[in-house]
Amino acid sequence: MHVSRWARAPSALQALIVAAGLLPARALAAPAEPRPLAAPAEPRPLAAPAEPRPLAAPAEPRAIDLRWEAPDGCPPVDEVRSEIARLLGASEQHQPIEVEIAVARAGGARLRLDLRIRAPSPGERVLRGDDCASMSRAAALIVAMSIDPDAVARNAAAEPAAQPAPPSAVAAPVAAAPRPPPPAPPAPPAAARPPAAAERDLRAAIWLSAHIEQALVPAVGVGLAAGGGIRSGWLRADGAAGVVPSSSSRIAGMAAGAEFRLWFLEVDACARALERPLSVYVCALGRQHWLLARGREVDEAFSRTAPIFAAGLGALVEWRIAGPLRGEGALHAVVPLRRPRFVVENVEGDVYRPPAAGLSSRLGVALAF
């Protein structure tokens, strides 16, 4: 084995110290006999220095687009970000993720947390509880598990071992009581499974809208519609009822005509096509109408009600206002499957006949819970 002369220096130094300690004793006893000097040791070449290793490239920062809405008393968004980073630790997953978390009061001291992951894998979760801090930590765990569940499990298992051991005593050793074994790493709660693998959350909603009708009444009529339905992931289904109280028409060139009132029941089925910045749904509808006509400026008063079924296709747009309150707007093309004629007896000409197709729209607010 090759050793440099610097590695031999500690042995030579020890020999000089021992010799210096023995000199006085030997000088008193007898003069030392002269000894031949040893030939100087042949110098040995120095070992080549080790080549410096390149530093590891810094980890790419994790891109988490987090939108946080919460009432007073809840943790700030920075604290939620820090909790996500702590759970992930040194995770190597750096795929961007877009998350929306909204906390709102659900009555009394109860809170409702809505968590929606927009990308890369859409998913939704709803948490309910009384402690906003605990709910925010559970939401952070859901987000972290959605990014890298293996890293979260590793960090949870390493947390007990990472705690520093108590310092050893300097005094005489004393028999210490045995320490209890470290606690087992906590298992992630069932509610904290990644939203992509979890079942879709089911929610209900009610809404109230101003209704504008052009398809089934003679002139553009304004009325009122109310309804409700369910939401599940990217699907929604609604039922509604509405009325357009007044619209009128008359025979061309004459004063005789009729006043019209429209009642309807409607069923909608929608699929979400776009999430950002607004939720846009493509909807199909079926609507049963009852069109009531009363004679105006006629010799003999008359009243007639005609049932008309129509089908439609259109779009619905939804946006968040605050907490569970949403704004909604819809526009549909409506095709009546039956087009009855409204006439006045003994008078030539039609008072009104529904067109082959028309438009129907509404604008209002919804409450999701």
Side-chain angles (χ1 to χ4, degrees):
M1 185 174 70
H2 190 78
V3 181
S4 68
R5 65 179 181 180
W6 301 107
R8 301 173 57 91
S11 299
L13 181 60
Q14 292 174 3
L16 289 175
I17 294 173
V18 172
L22 296 177
L23 276 177
R26 295 176 64 90
L28 293 176
E33 296 181 0
R35 295 181 180 180
L37 294 176
E42 184 178 351
R44 298 183 181 182
L46 295 175
E51 295 183 359
R53 297 181 179 178
L55 295 176
E60 182 183 353
R62 187 176 296 107
I64 301 178
D65 182 4
L66 174 61
R67 298 187 179 183
W68 171 260
E69 296 181 10
D72 294 339
C74 289
V77 64
D78 292 340
E79 186 172 326
V80 180
R81 291 180 186 275
S82 299
E83 179 65 11
I84 296 173
R86 184 189 70 81
L87 291 169
L88 290 173
S91 170
E92 297 180 356
Q93 295 290 338
H94 303 293
Q95 186 176 15
I97 183 171
E98 299 178 9
V99 184
E100 290 184 1
I101 303 176
V103 183
R105 304 229 174 249
R110 297 288 292 174
L111 296 171
R112 173 193 170 103
L113 185 147
D114 291 277
L115 186 149
R116 176 178 293 178
I117 295 181
R118 301 285 191 179
S121 298
E124 296 182 3
R125 294 293 298 170
V126 175
L127 304 178
R128 292 179 174 87
D130 302 328
D131 185 1
C132 189
S134 299
M135 295 172 67
S136 65
R137 288 193 295 270
L141 179 57
I142 293 174
V143 175
M145 299 254 325
S146 300
I147 297 173
D148 192 345
D150 294 334
V152 175
R154 286 196 304 269
N155 294 332
E159 279 183 0
Q163 298 178 357
S168 56
V170 179
V174 179
R179 289 181 296 174
R193 290 176 295 174
E199 57 273 10
R200 297 295 185 185
D201 180 60
L202 189 65
R203 295 178 295 158
I206 55 175
W207 52 264
L208 181 67
S209 297
H211 183 84
I212 303 174
E213 182 70 29
Q214 181 268 334
L216 272 297
V217 293
V220 176
V222 178
L224 191 68
I230 58 174
R231 314 286 187 267
S232 179
W234 52 273
L235 294 174
R236 62 176 283 171
D238 290 275
V243 59
V244 178
S246 179
S247 183
S248 62
S249 180
R250 62 181 184 177
I251 300 173
M254 301 180 62
E259 292 285 343
F260 293 86
R261 177 176 296 177
L262 181 70
W263 300 86
F264 64 86
L265 293 176
E266 178 180 318
V267 176
D268 298 339
C270 304
R272 187 169 59 209
L274 182 66
E275 287 188 289
R276 293 176 63 89
L278 304 173
S279 294
V280 179
Y281 293 83
V282 177
C283 301
L285 66 84
R287 186 188 293 170
Q288 178 63 52
H289 304 81
W290 290 269
L291 185 58
L292 171 65
R294 296 182 183 276
R296 185 186 69 174
E297 300 291 336
V298 295
D299 295 335
E300 295 183 6
F302 71 89
S303 176
R304 179 187 176 189
T305 300
I308 305 172
F309 184 82
L313 185 66
L316 182 145
V317 179
E318 178 188 77
W319 63 94
R320 183 189 299 271
I321 298 176
L325 189 62
R326 307 286 196 275
E328 290 189 348
L331 178 65
H332 296 91
V334 179
V335 178
L337 304 186
R338 179 171 176 262
R339 300 170 59 204
R341 294 178 181 273
F342 291 84
V343 298
V344 177
E345 292 184 3
N346 303 323
V347 178
E348 293 184 1
D350 293 342
V351 177
Y352 174 65
R353 186 186 185 192
L359 296 176
S360 177
S361 65
R362 66 179 177 88
L363 180 65
V365 294
L367 184 65
F369 52 89

